Amino acid sequence: MKSMTIPRAETWDDLQEAHPTPGDPSLSSASPRTPSLAHSHNEHNITSLTGLHNYSTELELRRTLQELLAVLSTPTYHCRKLIIMGGLYCDRKPDGEKYVCHDPGLAPPDEYCLVYSVGVGHDLSFDLQMDRFGCEVFAFDSDFYHRHYPTFIGSRLTFYKVRMGTYFLKELQYQGDDKAAEPYLVEYWPLPAIMARLGHMHHQLHYLKLDIEGAEWDVLEETVFKTDILEGTQQLSIEVHLEDLRQGKASSQDHHSLLASAAKYLRILRGLQARGFHLAYWEPNYRGSELTTQAGLMFHVFSETLWVNPGYHKRRNWPVKGKMPEKL
């Protein structure tokens, strides 16, 4: 007669569950007395698949962030003559200065140089220096205090009280949080509309500066990329804002949301490269220095970049005849 040894860790019921008697309905897997082994197995598989999917998303997030960090901060063009234009010091930290590449073929031309400076705040040092250099400069910004700025500031510097956006918009804003204060009107214009209004749609931009507090991503992808403006632009200066990667904001997002933000940043930078631009200079924004760490990688939330387009579609510009409009 065969004997059966029952391990101490098992009870008789456990053994019956493992070796049910054929045809005994009371010991079937559907018995309410014990959980279904098949059901437990499925739950384990679902949990495993979810964990695997999350792990895959984490890996993709890290790869995307690594690529973003490389594209954003690793120059691919060596400018031999890089000159700082404008800038001030506040609390012993430089702010507002912009870099201009003066290499042959990229330097602003002598005959006619056109500069668009979008987002000036209240520091016109760059714009005035480019004016003195010989360029015609058009500056754009709008806040409560800009109401008192004249339109024609320098011999070749014109200032318009508008902000750059992805579509036309007029809205009332307040200075600070005081809703009882007098509101002021802010207008947003797309870049193609501004250039058309000023007679520059067929002009080459020798230098385009974008300092628009995080709106650069949408403005580029939703408006500028849909035109051929950048194909005829020599140099592009962008103050980059990685708002979605900031420590406080990112901590409230899951990996999917962070991945979507990082992929968007990378997609737009790749869009610049596809239009012939090379990163010539990168540095952190010293005035607004802020670090964030995501997926084990450290980023400066705010940074200054200069992109140059050695293969831009060169064409000779001519000044627009007649006086520029008092307002857009």
Side-chain angles (χ1 to χ4, degrees), residues 212-231:
I212 48 181
E213 307 304 317
E216 62 272 6
W217 305 107
D218 289 340
V219 163
L220 285 171
E221 187 167 51
E222 297 179 23
T223 303
V224 181
F225 280 5
K226 295 178 181 180
T227 71
D228 61 353
I229 291 174
L230 291 182
E231 282 79 353

Side-chain angles (χ1 to χ4, degrees), residues 117-120 139-143 146 159-165 169 185-190 194 198 212 327-328:
S117 177
V118 186
V120 301
F140 309 89
D141 212 335
S142 180
D143 68 14
H146 286 134
F159 177 79
Y160 288 110
K161 303 173 187 64
V162 298
R163 297 181 185 178
M164 186 172 292
L169 175 67
L185 181 67
V186 174
E187 292 187 41
Y188 292 85
W189 281 54
I194 292 175
L198 298 177
I212 48 181
K327 60 177 295 185
L328 293 183

Side-chain angles (χ1 to χ4, degrees), residues 21-140:
T21 303
D24 186 350
S26 66
L27 298 177
S28 68
S29 60
S31 171
R33 182 176 54 82
T34 56
S36 166
L37 289 180
H39 180 67
S40 300
H41 184 66
N42 288 339
E43 283 187 339
H44 175 72
N45 283 344
I46 291 172
T47 303
S48 299
L49 288 173
T50 301
L52 184 63
H53 180 68
N54 290 338
Y55 179 67
S56 176
T57 302
E58 290 179 22
L59 285 179
E60 187 177 359
L61 174 61
R62 182 173 174 82
R63 284 196 295 266
T64 303
L65 288 172
Q66 284 177 324
E67 190 175 355
L68 172 63
L69 188 61
V71 173
L72 179 60
S73 59
T74 307
T76 56
Y77 181 90
H78 174 63
C79 182
R80 291 168 292 172
K81 192 176 183 182
L82 199 61
I83 297 178
I84 298 176
M85 305 291 276
L88 302 170
Y89 273 79
C90 183
D91 297 329
R92 299 182 180 180
K93 296 178 181 178
D95 187 48
E97 77 280 4
K98 300 299 174 184
Y99 289 82
V100 182
C101 183
H102 283 256
D103 285 3
L106 281 172
D110 296 330
E111 61 273 11
Y112 181 72
C113 165
L114 180 61
V115 174
Y116 270 38
S117 177
V118 186
V120 301
H122 296 278
D123 174 13
L124 291 166
S125 58
F126 165 77
D127 312 272
L128 288 167
Q129 193 160 350
M130 292 301 287
D131 173 0
R132 289 191 292 269
F133 183 76
C135 294
E136 185 170 20
V137 182
F138 293 88
F140 309 89

